[in-house]
Amino acid sequence: MPATEPTKIRNIAVAGHRGVGKTSLVEALLFEAGKTNRLGSVEQGTTVSDWDEHEQRRAMSLSGSLCHLEWKDRKINLVDTPGDAGFQADTFAALRVVEGVLVVMSGVMGVEVNTSRVWKRADEQELSRVIFVNMLDRERADFFRVLEAARQQLSDRCVAIQLPIGAEHELTGIVDLLHMCAYMDPSGGREGGPQPIPDSMADLVQEHREKLLDAVVETDEELMGRYLEGEELDPQAVAEALKQAVTRDELYPVACGVATKNLGTTALLDLLVEGVPSPAKKGTTIEFGDAKQAVFVFKTIADPFTGRISCFRVLAGPVSGDTTLVDPRTHAKERFGQVLAMQGKDSEPVEALGIGDLGAVAKLKDVVTGDVLVDHEVAVEPPHIDFPEPVMSFAVTPKAKGDEEKMATGLRRLSEEDPTLILRRDPQTGEQLLSGLSQMQVEVAVDRLSTRFHVDVELHPPRVPYKETIRKEARARHRYKKQTGGRGQFGDCAIVLEPLPAEDGQLGYEFVDKIVGGVISQSYRPAVDKGVREAMEHGELAGAPVEGVRVSLVDGMEHNVDSSEMAFKIAGSMAFKEAYQNADPVLLEPIMQLEVTVPDETVGAVNGDLNSRRGRLQGMEPMGGMTTIQAEVPMAEILTYSQALTSMTGGRGDYSMHFLRYEEVPTHVAQKIIEQTKREREEAKV
Ligand SMILES: Nc1nc2c(ncn2[C@@H]2O[C@H](COP(=O)(O)OP(=O)(O)OP(=O)(O)O)[C@@H](O)[C@H]2O)c(=O)[nH]1
Ligand SMILES: [Mg+2]
């Protein structure tokens, strides 16, 4: 099979909030297109795209999955992405290699936190979008309410292209407003062909068909003229104008159905073919210089059987088997034995992949996600993918002694696959810290460590990165003097501490040399600075780093034989500690911006709980049975929020958070932390 022409390809990322049916929808599309013989289910762990054992155990997607199908002589590449905020690295990487996004929403919940986040990303990258309102068979599902929410919260250019026939458990089919036909509920079988639209729907269909046509012709002057003259527009002309409008981000068609019953897939596939641009129309912004062959690796799968598989987009090509490309990052030659078409975990060798196509290759040597490979070495800047910052850290230790090295190697490999999973050593405690976007992401990494690298580890609650600062000016003088036979030690300095205001929200440090008359020689003054800095690494309150201080060296004395840098460093350190006590030192803690979405009936309990966590409520927005709460909460109080939220909401709550700023810890809380530190220090001494 020769390479598919770019005009005949559609690259689509399937994205949205957690659990809205993305994987089920991909499954249904593959089934309807004849790629599979039965409709797999997420609950039974039988879908094509959730093939990983950890995905099946948790019944959710944990990483991106590449599939493909043929429909009306077009090749549609689908990347099923995880909806959970903790696994967004793959979602954001997938958005770099597609022209279109199929934004899936729940017919009950409408626009949710991650729907908006995906939408924003797609806006930034000017990706074409089609919306699918799923789960219309569920209780309290309402297509029209969700359509309105999308128009309010995402874009007023969202327009219905399909309508449900009936609602909730009485949903019997959908209407395709573009081709003016209906599809009836196939209950999980293949959808039969188009049917006439039921008479009872006539008025509603008329109303929305007009809205659709109005929206489409508004983007096309020529068509507008014909429409205004009362001409009956043929579906093909409308579809062509629609595709142009979708390509230019001027329209977002809203489709609907029930993924688990395979309802709405024919009309959706038609829409992806007719309404979404091909790589020939939209193209990529990834650089590849003047290379004749180039690929961009957007995902790495660590397959326990076949080894590493690198999924890529062809930037320049075609690319076939038996090709050698160069990775400009490592300068290494990388051989492509065979190029593969992927179907979840299964792969199939193909002769060649053309420009714009998505595929994979096994067993490259040193290639990592984000690399661009080219046929000859050209200076290309790999595309920057803006990944979210990790928000939580856990100390990890192996359960068995002696497994430290194995644990570190495994975790390093896992963070190569997921750039938002970060392993580092805490310089204060020497512990290995694993940071990520959510507790679940870190827990999944631990599970993988066990199944793939056979190391069992324990997670410890993370430490809060407190800081200390001062509130008033204070001075101190310290003389460090030792006379023990031979040469002695002598250093004497006087310093003044003052609060240094934050700049751009960052607390800093400043050392000012105010020595007059050379009472300390030039060469010893930096030693005082060094001593002060050392003392500031562990403040006297809770051993946290001190920041936001200006230190002026105002006076001192030196001895012409016994003075040394060491002596002045110690004197500086001691003087700082003495002055610090009198400078009204305070403890600072990180404050997080928290967004929680919970079922309406649990709002009272969740707010009460946030209150007890010293949270400050900032707003609430009810939407389709769920309420989104915004609050500012000290990090120390929400380290273990996920269990609490699960038990308060019966597992239906969801949250995400990010760092805002440092704030002073209230006195009664600070007192406890200071006493706790004191106790730990004494225990450590024993
Ligand atoms: N009633 C109903 N249930 C659905 C529908 N689509 C999906 N589900 C169920 O909803 C749950 C989540 O579906 P998934 O397909 O895993 O959703 P997802 O968006 O891929 O989830 P993540 O990848 O974890 O974000 C599963 O239990 C599905 O069986 C639908 O149209 N109707
Ligand atoms: Mg999924």
Side-chain angles (χ1 to χ4, degrees):
M1 203 176 57
T4 312
E5 281 170 44
T7 51
K8 299 206 162 172
I9 297 171
R10 301 290 182 274
N11 292 319
I12 317 260
V14 185
H17 196 79
R18 151 118 186 79
V20 294
K22 299 175 290 296
T23 300
S24 307
L25 183 59
V26 168
E27 186 69 19
L29 295 173
L30 293 172
F31 173 68
E32 185 61 31
K35 277 286 171 190
T36 52
N37 292 324
R38 57 185 274 255
L39 190 65
S41 101
V42 169
E43 278 103 359
Q44 288 163 19
T46 51
T47 62
V48 172
S49 61
D50 280 359
W51 53 267
D52 176 88
E53 59 170 305
H54 299 284
E55 291 181 320
Q56 293 175 355
R57 206 181 300 151
R58 290 172 191 257
M60 65 185 286
S61 305
L62 303 174
S63 63
S65 203
L66 176 59
C67 306
H68 66 97
L69 58 87
E70 285 80 36
W71 189 257
K72 301 213 163 140
D73 194 31
R74 298 292 183 278
K75 177 179 181 193
I76 302 181
N77 290 313
L78 296 167
V79 190
D80 179 23
T81 67
D84 189 271
F87 304 93
Q88 263 178 349
D90 263 20
T91 309
F92 290 168
L95 294 182
R96 284 304 269 140
V97 295
V98 294
E99 283 74 37
V101 188
L102 176 53
V103 179
V104 184
M105 284 199 257
S106 143
V108 184
M109 301 296 305
V111 179
E112 297 178 76
V113 184
N114 282 331
T115 326
S116 308
R117 213 177 277 169
V118 163
W119 194 268
K120 199 161 147 249
R121 253 313 144 110
D123 264 340
E124 287 162 12
Q125 290 174 215
E126 298 177 5
L127 297 173
S128 303
R129 269 151 276 174
V130 166
I131 295 174
F132 186 81
V133 180
N134 189 34
M135 301 184 160
L136 287 175
D137 59 329
R138 284 208 176 162
E139 220 172 282
R140 299 222 274 178
D142 183 344
F143 174 77
F144 297 98
R145 193 190 62 224
V146 174
L147 176 65
E148 198 40 45
R151 291 175 54 83
Q152 297 279 333
Q153 296 174 51
L154 302 178
S155 165
D156 56 7
R157 286 165 296 161
C158 292
V159 59
I161 197 157
Q162 293 164 16
L163 295 181
I165 305 172
E168 301 181 352
H169 55 275
E170 280 160 13
L171 183 87
T172 53
I174 62 131
V175 173
D176 177 340
L177 294 170
L178 186 60
H179 303 97
M180 287 301 270
C181 60
Y183 293 91
M184 302 321 279
D185 181 359
S187 298
R190 291 242 156 75
E191 262 189 337
Q195 316 262 327
I197 296 170
D199 292 338
S200 58
M201 292 284 292
D203 291 347
L204 199 61
V205 166
Q206 183 62 22
E207 178 195 335
H208 284 273
R209 161 99 174 155
E210 262 166 36
K211 280 188 184 166
L212 175 66
L213 287 180
D214 284 349
V216 174
V217 297
E218 213 165 88
T219 65
D220 187 316
E221 257 175 53
E222 199 261 336
L223 212 58
M224 171 81 99
R226 282 163 56 193
Y227 185 58
L228 289 180
E229 275 163 29
E231 195 180 311
E232 183 67 28
L233 301 175
D234 63 295
Q236 219 162 356
V238 178
E240 194 41 52
L242 174 79
K243 186 191 289 191
Q244 300 295 346
V246 173
T247 307
R248 294 191 305 259
D249 280 356
E250 287 171 6
L251 270 191
Y252 305 112
V254 182
C256 64
V258 179
T260 41
K261 291 185 174 166
N262 193 37
L263 173 64
T265 43
T266 308
L268 181 60
L269 285 166
D270 285 347
L271 178 62
L272 296 181
V273 166
E274 292 173 7
V276 178
S278 73
K281 271 231 173 78
K282 208 149 186 173
T284 174
T285 53
I286 301 171
E287 286 178 39
F288 54 93
D290 62 349
K292 298 272 181 300
Q293 285 182 311
V295 304
F296 167 64
V297 177
F298 67 94
K299 161 140 199 79
T300 310
I301 306 170
D303 189 283
F305 304 107
T306 36
R308 242 175 356 155
I309 294 181
S310 308
C311 299
F312 60 79
R313 174 180 169 119
V314 180
L315 307 173
V319 174
S320 51
D322 266 335
T323 305
T324 301
L325 296 184
V326 197
D327 187 343
R329 186 180 57 83
T330 58
H331 307 289
K333 288 205 167 108
E334 297 281 354
R335 212 184 87 80
F336 282 41
Q338 283 178 324
V339 287
L340 308 168
M342 298 300 294
Q343 202 69 284
K345 72 171 185 311
D346 296 324
S347 59
E348 177 195 351
V350 290
E351 205 177 290
L353 291 170
I355 296 178
D357 214 345
L358 306 185
V361 56
K363 298 200 172 84
L364 298 183
K365 280 182 305 191
D366 296 316
V367 173
V368 298
T369 302
D371 283 357
V372 173
L373 307 181
V374 278
D375 57 351
H376 65 276
E377 202 152 322
V378 286
V380 288
E381 192 66 35
H384 174 72
I385 302 174
D386 202 3
F387 289 118
E389 292 289 318
V391 290
M392 44 180 58
S393 306
F394 294 81
V396 282
T397 48
K399 282 191 182 149
K401 270 222 150 59
D403 266 356
E404 284 78 9
E405 198 46 51
K406 227 161 115 187
M407 174 183 90
T409 311
L411 286 175
R412 241 176 275 127
R413 285 272 294 282
L414 289 173
S415 65
E416 270 168 27
E417 277 167 43
D418 181 351
T420 58
L421 194 65
I422 292 167
L423 181 69
R424 67 195 162 84
R425 216 181 154 74
D426 183 336
Q428 275 187 41
T429 61
E431 290 167 313
Q432 291 282 2
L433 293 182
L434 188 60
S435 316
L437 303 177
S438 73
Q439 186 168 341
M440 189 179 318
Q441 181 195 20
V442 172
E443 285 169 1
V444 167
V446 167
D447 288 352
R448 293 216 157 113
L449 210 52
S450 162
T451 53
R452 259 169 58 190
F453 300 95
H454 312 291
V455 195
D456 289 322
V457 303
E458 247 167 318
L459 286 180
H460 309 277
R463 287 173 179 264
V464 178
Y466 291 108
K467 286 182 180 174
E468 299 182 19
T469 193
I470 56 169
R471 287 281 177 248
K472 65 174 214 234
E473 193 180 300
R475 71 161 54 216
R477 180 169 195 136
H478 189 90
R479 174 169 294 184
Y480 179 67
K481 190 173 162 190
K482 267 211 170 115
Q483 225 83 50
T484 42
R487 205 184 137 190
Q489 292 279 5
F490 187 93
D492 178 322
C493 65
I495 58 172
V496 178
L497 314 190
E498 320 159 63
L500 180 67
E503 228 173 83
D504 293 334
Q506 291 283 339
L507 289 169
Y509 165 70
E510 218 173 270
F511 181 78
V512 190
D513 180 353
K514 286 192 178 162
I515 292 292
V516 280
V519 288
I520 306 177
S521 359
Q522 188 76 51
S523 59
Y524 291 141
R525 293 176 211 166
V528 176
D529 178 18
K530 220 167 164 184
V532 168
R533 279 175 200 263
E534 230 163 67
M536 284 174 61
E537 276 172 25
H538 300 285
E540 290 293 292
L541 288 182
V546 182
E547 288 179 13
V549 185
R550 178 185 291 124
V551 176
S552 306
L553 174 59
V554 290
D555 199 5
M557 220 169 126
E558 72 179 68
H559 187 278
N560 53 2
V561 180
D562 291 346
S563 277
S564 66
E565 270 182 38
M566 175 59 96
F568 273 101
K569 201 176 110 185
I570 294 171
S573 224
M574 298 306 289
F576 178 86
K577 285 183 185 172
E578 284 164 33
Y580 189 65
Q581 313 258 3
N582 300 320
D584 191 10
V586 291
L587 201 57
L588 303 176
E589 63 180 346
I591 305 293
M592 308 296 281
Q593 173 73 49
L594 179 72
E595 186 171 272
V596 202
T597 305
V598 299
D600 286 344
E601 61 275 18
T602 63
V603 166
V606 172
N607 279 344
D609 175 70
L610 284 177
N611 228 339
S612 74
R613 293 173 189 268
R614 299 192 279 129
R616 279 174 301 223
L617 223 61
Q618 299 198 295
M620 288 202 282
E621 205 173 309
M623 170 77 197
M626 300 285 280
T627 297
T628 299
I629 305 167
Q630 301 276 357
E632 291 183 7
V633 191
M635 184 198 267
E637 306 286 343
I638 44 174
L639 287 176
T640 50
Y641 192 50
S642 108
Q643 289 101 315
L645 188 64
T646 304
S647 71
M648 279 185 293
T649 62
R652 289 167 62 213
D654 215 346
Y655 75 102
S656 68
M657 59 178 170
H658 62 262
F659 169 75
L660 267 187
R661 60 172 175 273
Y662 272 89
E663 259 182 33
E664 193 171 326
V665 182
T667 325
H668 65 284
V669 183
Q671 217 46 50
K672 277 190 205 139
I673 301 166
I674 293 166
E675 274 159 25
Q676 167 82 10
T677 319
K678 223 186 249 164
R679 236 177 293 127
E680 279 175 12
R681 278 184 183 162
E682 268 150 29
E683 276 164 25
K685 272 184 208 150
V686 179

